């Protein structure tokens, strides 16, 4: 519309405003501006809001309006509203389809739906600045941005998988990870290889009704990733580059040996002033080993302690480079991108490199036949440190990393270490078995008299292990798919898609001679895996519109077959440390099963998994006002025994768009009000294969004279007992939602409340150990998840030069175990024998143990308690300065019946708050993200070193009756095992300035001069500020263990020796031309 | 346009041929339901059961030798969790959640499970009321002789595990056939007598069913398998433990006179018993076998026992310095030629450390993977058990002397052991040195409570604490214990270990009684 027309309109408007009052009849027709097809159900309104109507099926309308009417407004969902002065209403109004939020197309699995017609709980996240987030992975970039999707970086190591839970996770034992679907292909590890810059949008199917179309795999929600495709245009090039650094946000506060010695002497000086105890004798202040360590640090190291954490950590480089080109004609479009990402870890030898190439072609073969082709090879190279960070944290400062002249000469005095030279790695054993003499913190001279071991370990220092053992892996993936859509009849489309996801990966773990211990032979382990996942999908879609009724019918069947072949070679004793292939090994290890039931040695295995599905869906709406969607999927899976393979998953959802009703149409401030309700059934089949039969593994033995001859044997060594009757887990979920948009979309709010019940839980439960196994798998128990989640988007300021938008989300979920097949509860053990309880009527996992009431302040207090009849058989309980357990049941005996619930790992709230500011060419956004109310068990407390030299465990500790510290902190070595008590349960709440991006986009006139279509610079940062709860004694409240005992959702909330949080800053550049 | 319909057709053809997609079976593993269909397969299953004997051995020393007066946790100043866990066993204060106790329990029962599976496949049924075993008809084509021999071996494995469990924990759970997890939850502990009933039935049946070829007639390939003599010897030990001496004597005499097993002779006879170049010699009636060479069958205990910070001087890959010989044992072994085989000394002067040398191979190769078999029943044990069963008599002293002479120790002169107390002390010391670090001492001490009249386990342990207190136990901090406190931990109740807390916790429908004192 040019300026002259606009002026004319204004003129006319003024004219009519002055015109006489009265009724006026208007008629006309409304059509789609693109197709020319008549539009029904379009609302036609006068601005006086006294009259209005809708267009008929042929697009025509007839309306009598108040003659005071100045403007007539034509609006319809999905179209940009138009208004005309009463006198200037054209006879045919052409409405243009709008790119308005409500009319966004949302991918829902085997189809799409307009957001306005959505009836389930689906969140869409468009890639706007996703690729500018200072993280390497797509899932990490989504953290805090979607209500009800909890993403937790359980390890900050480069390239590691975060834990993703949608609505709390509905499974106990089968995996509670959501299903990931990339461009229509459900992939087991999709989010690891997807290049964030290739992503067009991410949809999350949260409620069961939406996820039910994925049937047996939908119970934990579905994440659908859609990648970018080309648009008809001349070639558009885009270059994105960013680089930055990453460093640890915080380190553990560890004491040096000198500080520790000073502390012990200071504490001894206090104890000496306490008349109620025998003052510590000189020999009791420090053990000979501690004194030796102190002397080494003071003399051999010249008072320069080693900072082991600095030996582990570095300022790492993060780098990203991407080039893409897209374009095409009206019939053929392409999008091609290549990307390289380097994400170095904060720890040495932690590296992650990713190369992605992606080609997408969309071709209209004819008017009715469309072809789409996707090819996405990628390569990920990863190196992982061979030592856990905790091993550095807890290492003593008196040991040098490398021998210097002094320490080498000292070690050379021992016959065993005569060959050591300065520059060689120093090891604890080089200092053991020697007599030490030197000055103590109080100036006294001390001589150990007998030989002592300052640090009694046979293990090498973490730095030397790290440098002599390397763990690397290579993942080669190809995701390729082709689909062909045929428009058979008007409204009837057939689509067939074949896709292949092929992953070849190999890993090498090679330790040089003497890597872990002295005399360690060199060892190598090579793993390779070939996984091919083939999917064939056929769907038939029928669209029909009869008057105000419109239908979409979908029917289809899919077959997915995964084959996997794993090979492992374990070999040792190589003639040189420079080999990294197995062919020169003197010994190849035969297959065997280790104590944890893990297959070891050299082996190759293969297996297949198959899934066969039939699916159907009906979506219906009446005048975009009443919405209905119903689906049914039937899945057959190879994971279960014959007779238990098939499951059926129905779903139905309803919607009512209240703003389409006459009585709300006039409410000007209300743009959209929609109510949604759904019910659906989803399943979970993600358990290990063939748990329905006990498998046999190599379990050999040697018989015969002399050293015997190997005889092959077979035994059922899997610690999980099979169960033939296992089948699907089913989740039944209700969801109620409301969507509101107010004040011309200045504010939109979506609130969803849900309740789900998971039945026939696939549960890996503990069995009596006298069966000779530790666990079995079973379909028992019921779990309930209830929650509410809200997403709010506000366009707070919408000026031309300054815009401020806020989007906030918050989710609350509470789970409750409803039944455990008649069991009263389960108790599960973690690695430090800490106990996790699962009890019906309670949250799924609760920390279970002894309640403490500070520490025993004195022997007198213990004696008094005993005099009152308190007894216990628990070991090390009645020790002054040790934890004081509460006799909860009041029977005067402290025993296992006094154990109580000490907390649970589930946060009350997870929230995220994003603010976006645009001011002229500048933009600024930041994300605050937090989690409130969960607890964790901090396993650091188990470590002797942590207890002694970690400041968080020493400050205010008990020393003697007169110096009880805060009365709550036990003396490191005294008393009852901390890990069995609430002393190790800590608040896991946190909030963080998770992400911040400042950008500047060059003005168009500048870019034009440079023949560019756009250029932008930005600075982005992660974790600039991080706040963890008081009482938390670690450095990363998000860290969790999720392997071995902790692989099951029944044992959750444990961390130890967590890797530091990363603080990342990076600078980026985007150029389009 | 017409061509397009062919594409459409393709979809429907697919529908028909997809059933195979989900009818999948394991491709890389056999399973318990279809395996064991012939002699070779049952034999392979039994081999798997033998394999499972290895794992409990890794924990056994902690529950037996460490708790006895033979060894101690060697680093009293250490406050590390691992060392404290060991100290808790050493000092009679283990928690009911103690890791090693649970692991021993679990791995022993795992071995029992494998034996039960074989016995079920061989149609062997146990009647707990009658305490008898019977052979049911089976469909596996297998000769009666093979069936009896294989079943006998499985019974031996089962009985061996139960014998250890009942001696360590008292009455445990009686699991004599493959059970479902649901069935297991309805079962509670049974009395020790019930367990012994099964042990007796198993070993008696095994002894009569298995071959009793003389040692030198046993086919070379069968060495290492349990045989009739092993069953008789173990049963004799069970009888002796139950103080059924007459039955024990009959069996022991039989083994002594008819088995063909014999003491080694020659200059290094005792050392040769344990030599990795002389395995399955005529003194080894039964041993749990280990095999070096990257087979997953190597013994890692030598590295556990070798002295800490010895680099490669003692064994490749350094030692952990656990299971540290007591000075007391060293003193008792002084002058005995067996000391040189049993106890090593690392370092000199003030840095000198004792360590368990018995199982350290002379030419260490790869760490945590040594050849050393673990002796379970030796011929000298038969002789000394016979002496113990017979009691104070010249023929018993002769048996002791026979063992001593073989080892190069001076035999007791006539009249040197003049009374019961002297005899019993000599017998106790003889066993202690002869079987040092073979996980016998603890069981011996507890058994002496019934078989001997002048030695009790409690007193022996109290004396041990008294002798080691000044140099060792006194150094423990956190909490520092007086000798009286330390000795007060040694109670009759603490001669049994606690039932793992985890086992009690797992069953919420039955109250599983914990052993008293825990």
């Amino acid at each position: 519309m040019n300026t002259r027309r606009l002026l004319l309109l204004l003129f006319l408007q003024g004219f009519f405003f002055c015109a006489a009052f009265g009724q006026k009849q208007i008629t006309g027709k409304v059509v789609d501006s693109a197709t020319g097809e008549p539009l029904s159900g379009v609302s036609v309104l006068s601005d006086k809001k006294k009259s209005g109507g809708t267009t008929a099926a042929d697009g025509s309308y007839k309306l009598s309006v108040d003659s005071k009417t100045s403007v007539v407004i034509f609006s319809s969902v999905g179209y940009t509203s138009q208004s005309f002065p009463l006198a200037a209403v054209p006879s045919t109004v052409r409405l243009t389809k709008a790119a308005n939020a409500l009319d966004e197309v949302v991918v829902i699995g085997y189809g799409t739906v307009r957001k306005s017609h959505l009836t389930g709980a689906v969140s869409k996240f468009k890639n706007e600045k996703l690729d500018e987030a200072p993280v390497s992975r797509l899932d990490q970039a989504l953290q805090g941005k979607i209500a009800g999707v909890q993403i937790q970086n359980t390890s900050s190591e480069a390239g590691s998988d975060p834990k993703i839970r949608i609505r709390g996770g509905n499974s106990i034992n089968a995996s509670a990870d959501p299903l990931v679907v990339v461009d229509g292909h459900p992939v087991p590890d999709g989010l690891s290889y997807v290049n964030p810059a290739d992503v067009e949008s991410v949809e999350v199917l949260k409620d069961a009704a939406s996820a039910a179309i994925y049937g047996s795999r939908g119970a934990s929600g579905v994440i659908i990733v859609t990648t970018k495709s080309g648009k008809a245009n001349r070639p558009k090039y885009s270059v994105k580059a960013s680089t930055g650094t990453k460093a640890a946000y915080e380190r553990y506060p560890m004491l040096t040996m000198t500080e520790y010695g000073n502390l012990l002497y200071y504490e001894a000086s206090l104890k000496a002033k306490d008349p109620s105890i025998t003052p510590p004798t000189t020999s009791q202040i420090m053990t000979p080993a501690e004194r030796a360590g102190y002397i080494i640090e003071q003399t051999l190291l010249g008072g320069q302690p080693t900072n082991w954490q600095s030996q582990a950590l570095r300022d790492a480089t993060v780098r990203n480079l991407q080039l893409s080109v897209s374009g095409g004609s009206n019939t053929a479009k392409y999008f091609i991108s290549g990307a390289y990402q380097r994400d170095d870890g904060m720890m040495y030898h932690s590296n992650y490199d990713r190369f992605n190439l992606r080609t997408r072609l969309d071709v209209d073969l004819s008017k009715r036949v469309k072809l789409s082709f996707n090819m996405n090879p990628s390569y990920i190279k990863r190196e992982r440190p061979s030592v856990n960070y905790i091993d550095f944290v807890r290492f003593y400062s008196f040991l040098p990393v490398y021998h210097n002249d002094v320490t080498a000469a000292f070690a050379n005095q021992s016959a065993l270490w005569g060959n050591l030279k300065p520059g060689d790695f120093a090891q604890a054993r080089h200092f053991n078995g020697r007599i030490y003499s030197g000055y103590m913190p109080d100036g006294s001279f001390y001589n150990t008299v007998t030989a002592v071991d300052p640090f009694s370990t046979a293990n090498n220092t973490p730095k030397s292990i790290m440098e002599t053992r390397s763990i690397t892996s290579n993942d080669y993936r190809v995701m390729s798919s082709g689909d062909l859509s045929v428009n058979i009849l008007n409204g009837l489309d057939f689509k067939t898609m074949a896709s292949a996801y092929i992953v070849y990966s190999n890993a090498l773990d090679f330790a040089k001679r003497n890597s872990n211990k002295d005399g360690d032979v060199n060892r190598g382990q090579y793993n390779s895996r070939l996984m091919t996942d083939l999917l064939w999908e056929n769907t038939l879609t029928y669209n029909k519109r009869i008057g105000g009724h419109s239908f979409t019918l979908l029917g289809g069947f899919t077959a997915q077959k995964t084959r996997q072949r794993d090979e492992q070679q374990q070999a040792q004793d190589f003639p040189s440390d420079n080999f990294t292939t197995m062919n020169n090994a003197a010994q190849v290890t035969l297959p065997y099963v280790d104590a944890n039931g893990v297959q070891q040695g050299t082996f190759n295995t293969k297996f297949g998994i198959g899934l066969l599905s039939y699916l159907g869906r009906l979506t219906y709406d009446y005048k975009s006002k009443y919405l209905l969607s119903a689906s049914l999927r039937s899945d057959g899976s190879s994971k279960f025994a014959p007779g238990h393979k098939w499951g059926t998953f129905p779903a139905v959802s309803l919607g009512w768009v209240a703003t389409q009703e006459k009585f709300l149409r006039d409410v000007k401030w209300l743009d959209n009000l929609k109510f949604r309700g759904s019910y659906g059934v989803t399943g979970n089949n993600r358990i290990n294969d063939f748990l329905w039969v006990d498998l046999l593994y190599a379990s050999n033995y040697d018989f015969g004279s002399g050293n015997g001859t190997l005889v092959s044997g077979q035994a059922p060594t899997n610690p999980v007992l099979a169960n033939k009757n296992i089948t699907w887990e089913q989740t039944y979920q209700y969801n109620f939602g409301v969507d509101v948009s107010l004040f011309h979309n200045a504010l939109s709010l979506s609130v969803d409340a849900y309740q789900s019940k998971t039945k026939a839980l696939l549960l890996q439960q503990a069995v009596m150990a006298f069966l000779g196994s530790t666990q079995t798998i079973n379909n028992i128990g019921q779990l309930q998840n209830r929650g509410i989640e809200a997403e709010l988007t506000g366009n707070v300021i919408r000026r031309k030069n300054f815009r401020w938008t806020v989007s906030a989300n918050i989710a609350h979920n509470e789970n409750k175990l409803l039944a455990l097949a008649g069991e009263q509860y389960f108790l599960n053990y973690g690695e430090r024998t800490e106990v996790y309880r699962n009890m019906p009527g309670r949250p799924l996992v609760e920390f279970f143990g002894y309640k403490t009431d500070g520490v025993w302040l004195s022997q007198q207090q213990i004696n008094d308690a005993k005099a009152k009849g308190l007894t216990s058989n628990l070991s090390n309980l009645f020790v002054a300065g040790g934890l004081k357990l509460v006799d909860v049941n009041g029977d005067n005996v402290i025993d296992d019946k006094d154990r109580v619930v000490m907390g649970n790992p589930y946060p009350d709230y997870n929230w995220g708050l994003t603010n976006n500011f645009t001011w002229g060419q500048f933009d600024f956004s930041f994300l605050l993200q937090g989690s409130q109310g969960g607890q964790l068990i901090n396993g650091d407390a188990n470590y002797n070193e942590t207890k002694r030299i970690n400041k968080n465990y020493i400050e205010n500790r008990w020393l003697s009756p007169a110096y009880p510290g805060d009365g709550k902190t036990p003396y490191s070595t005294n008393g009852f095992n901390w890990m069995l008590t609430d002393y190790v349960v800590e608040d896991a709440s946190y909030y963080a300035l998770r992400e911040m991006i400042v950008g500047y986009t060059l003005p168009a006139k500048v870019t034009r001069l440079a023949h560019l279509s756009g250029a932008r610079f930005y600075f982005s940062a992660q974790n600039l500020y991080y706040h963890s709860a008081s009482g938390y004694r670690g450095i990363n409240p998000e860290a969790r263990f999720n392997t071995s005992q902790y692989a099951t959702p029944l044992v959750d909330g444990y961390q130890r020796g967590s890797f530091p949080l990363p603080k990342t800053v990076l600078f980026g550049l985007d150029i389009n031309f | 346009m017409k061509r397009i319909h062919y594409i459409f057709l393709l979809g429907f053809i697919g529908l028909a041929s997809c059933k195979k997609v989900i009818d999948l079976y394991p491709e890389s593993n056999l399973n318990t339901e279809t395996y064991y269909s012939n002699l070779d397969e049952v034999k392979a299953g039994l081999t798997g059961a033998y394999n499972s004997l290895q794992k409990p051995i890794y924990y056994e020393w902690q529950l037996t030798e460490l708790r006895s007066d033979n060894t101690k946790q060697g680093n009293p100043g250490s406050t590390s969790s691992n060392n404290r866990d060991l100290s808790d066993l050493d000092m009679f204060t283990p928690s009911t959640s103690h890791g090693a106790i649970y692991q021993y329990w679990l791995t022993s029962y795992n071995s029992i499970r494998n034996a039960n599976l074989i016995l079920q496949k061989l149609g062997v049924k146990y009647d707990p009321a009658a305490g008898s075993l019977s052979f049911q008809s089976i469909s596996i084509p297998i000769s009666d002789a093979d069936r009896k021999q294989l079943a006998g071996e499985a019974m031996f494995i089962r009985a061996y595990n139960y014998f250890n469990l009942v001696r360590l924990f008292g009455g445990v759970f009686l699991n004599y056939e493959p059970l479902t997890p649901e069935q297991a939850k309805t079962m509670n502990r049974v009395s020790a007598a019930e367990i012994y009933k099964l042990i007796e039935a198993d070993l008696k049946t095994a002894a009569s069913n298995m071959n009793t070829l003389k040692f030198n007639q046993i086919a070379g390939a069968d060495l290492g398998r349990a045989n009739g003599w092993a069953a008789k010897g173990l049963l004799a030990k069970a009888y002796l433990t139950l103080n059924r001496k007459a039955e024990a004597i009959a069996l022991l005499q039989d083994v002594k006179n008819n088995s063909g097993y014999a003491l080694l002779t020659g200059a290094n006879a005792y050392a040769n018993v344990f030599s990795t170049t002389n395995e399955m010699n005529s003194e080894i009636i039964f041993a749990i076998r280990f095999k070096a060479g990257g087979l997953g069958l190597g013994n890692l205990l030598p590295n556990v026992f070798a002295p800490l910070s010895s680099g490669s001087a003692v064994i490749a890959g350094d030692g952990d310095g656990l299971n540290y010989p007591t000075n007391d044992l060293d003193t008792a072994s002084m002058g005995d030629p067996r000391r040189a085989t049993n106890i090593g000394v690392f370092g000199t002067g003030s840095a000198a450390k004792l360590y368990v040398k018995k199982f350290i191979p002379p030419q260490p190769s790869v760490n945590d993977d040594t050849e050393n078999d673990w002796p379970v029943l030796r011929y000298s044990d038969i002789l000394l058990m016979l002496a113990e069963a017979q009691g104070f008599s010249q023929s018993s002293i002769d048996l002791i002397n026979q063992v001593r002479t073989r080892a190069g120790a001076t035999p007791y002169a006539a009249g040197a052991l003049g009374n019961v107390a002297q005899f019993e002390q000599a017998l106790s010391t003889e066993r202690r040195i002869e079987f040092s670090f073979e996980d016998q001492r603890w069981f011996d001490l507890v058994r002496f409570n019934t078989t001997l009249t002048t030695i009790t386990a409690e007193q022996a342990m109290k004396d041990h604490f008294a002798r080691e207190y000044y140099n060792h136990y006194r150094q423990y901090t956190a909490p520092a214990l007086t000798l009286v406190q330390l000795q007060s931990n040694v109670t009759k109740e603490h001669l049994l270990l606690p039932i793992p807390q985890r086992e009690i916790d797992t069953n919420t429908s039955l109250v599983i009684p914990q052993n008293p004192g825990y």
Side-chain angles (χ1 to χ4, degrees), chain A residues 40 49 120 290 685 898 914:
Chain A
S40 65
K49 295 179 226 121
E290 288 165 344
N685 70 345
D898 291 304
T914 308

Side-chain angles (χ1 to χ4, degrees), chain A residues 368-369 416-417 429 432-433 435 449-451 453 456-458 484 486-488 494 517-521 523 536 538 540 557 559-561 563 572 587-590 592-593 595 605-612 614 636-638 642 645-646 690 692-697 699-708 710-716 721 724 765-774 776 778 823-825 827 829 833 873 875-876 879 896 899 942 944 948 973-974, chain B residues 1 4-5 7-8 10-11 14-15 18-33 35-36 44-45 47-48 50-51 54-55 75 79-81 84 88 93-95 97 102 105-106 109-110 113-114 117 173 175 179-182 184-185 187 220-221 223-225 276 279-280 287-291 293-297 308-313 316-320 346 350-351 353 366-367 369 371 478-479 501-503 505-508 512 517-518:
Chain A
R368 288 177 182 275
V369 185
L416 282 173
W417 318 118
R429 62 180 165 276
N432 282 352
I435 292 171
V449 186
T450 56
D453 295 345
S456 53
T457 178
L484 199 63
V486 184
N487 179 228
I488 299 169
F494 170 70
K517 291 172 169 182
D518 192 40
D520 231 351
V521 70
R523 296 166 203 268
W536 190 30
N538 294 281
L540 203 55
F557 86 94
Q560 187 167 12
K561 189 152 186 176
R563 290 208 55 82
Q572 52 195 18
Q587 265 185 11
V588 173
T589 310
L590 286 188
Y592 68 101
V593 177
T605 60
K606 59 176 182 171
F607 65 90
I609 308 171
L611 185 71
L612 199 59
Y614 300 91
S637 164
S638 65
K645 286 183 189 291
W646 286 91
F690 306 117
W692 48 275
V693 60
D694 277 320
L695 300 181
L696 294 166
Y697 295 85
S699 188
N700 308 327
Y701 196 66
D702 56 315
F703 294 112
S705 55
N707 287 347
L710 188 79
V711 175
S712 80
Q714 291 276 306
L721 287 174
K724 210 175 232 176
Q765 67 180 109
V767 296
M768 299 301 288
F770 74 79
L771 289 171
S773 292
T774 54
T776 187
N778 215 342
E823 300 281 353
Q824 290 176 38
Y825 52 82
L827 297 181
Y829 284 73
T833 64
N873 277 328
S875 47
N876 299 323
V879 182
D896 54 6
R899 289 180 295 178
N942 182 68
N944 174 41
R948 291 162 69 180
T973 52
N974 285 22
Chain B
M1 182 62 219
I4 299 305
H5 293 141
I7 298 169
F8 188 44
L10 191 75
L15 270 172
C18 270
K19 285 286 177 214
K20 268 192 217 146
V21 170
I22 58 169
D23 288 336
L24 302 176
Y25 295 88
E27 295 167 60
S28 297
N29 297 85
L30 302 156
N31 66 71
T32 51
E33 286 180 20
Y35 201 60
Y36 315 108
T47 304
Y50 274 101
N51 172 289
Q54 286 189 346
K55 281 174 196 134
N75 196 344
T79 46
S80 85
S81 315
R84 291 198 69 174
D88 279 341
T93 53
S95 130
S97 309
Y102 174 75
W105 174 278
L106 175 67
Y109 269 116
N110 182 261
R113 175 193 178 197
N114 288 338
L117 191 59
F173 295 87
N175 174 9
L179 296 168
T180 65
E182 292 74 32
K185 290 225 166 144
M187 293 167 59
L223 280 171
R225 294 187 173 278
T276 51
E279 292 191 325
M280 298 319 293
I288 291 165
R289 306 201 67 182
F290 290 88
K291 191 166 175 56
L295 308 170
L297 296 174
L308 185 74
S309 298
S310 56
S312 291
D318 212 338
D320 297 326
F346 176 71
S350 75
K353 281 182 199 168
V366 174
N367 51 321
D369 186 23
E371 180 64 45
Q501 185 69 41
R502 203 182 288 211
E503 196 73 330
D505 285 351
T506 300
N507 196 336
T508 56
I512 293 164
Y518 291 100

Side-chain angles (χ1 to χ4, degrees), chain A residues 710-767:
Chain A
L710 188 79
V711 175
S712 80
Q714 291 276 306
T717 40
N718 188 346
V720 183
L721 287 174
N723 182 345
K724 210 175 232 176
N725 298 318
I726 50 170
T727 187
W728 311 102
E729 201 174 272
Q730 294 114 37
T731 298
Y732 302 80
Q733 192 187 52
Y734 294 97
N735 188 83
F736 297 100
V738 54
D739 301 323
V740 191
S741 296
L742 304 171
F743 315 119
H744 297 289
N745 294 322
L747 200 63
S748 23
L749 175 72
S750 278
V751 180
D752 277 278
Y754 59 89
Q755 173 165 334
S756 70
K757 199 183 262 190
T758 304
K759 290 180 183 166
L761 284 167
L762 271 172
L763 184 68
Q764 203 158 303
Q765 67 180 109
V767 296

Side-chain angles (χ1 to χ4, degrees), chain A residues 1009-1027:
Chain A
L1009 283 174
H1011 305 286
L1012 298 175
S1013 56
R1016 170 178 159 77
F1017 306 90
Y1018 62 89
F1019 160 84
S1020 97
Q1022 182 198 19
N1023 292 338
L1024 282 182
Y1025 178 73
Y1026 198 96
H1027 178 91

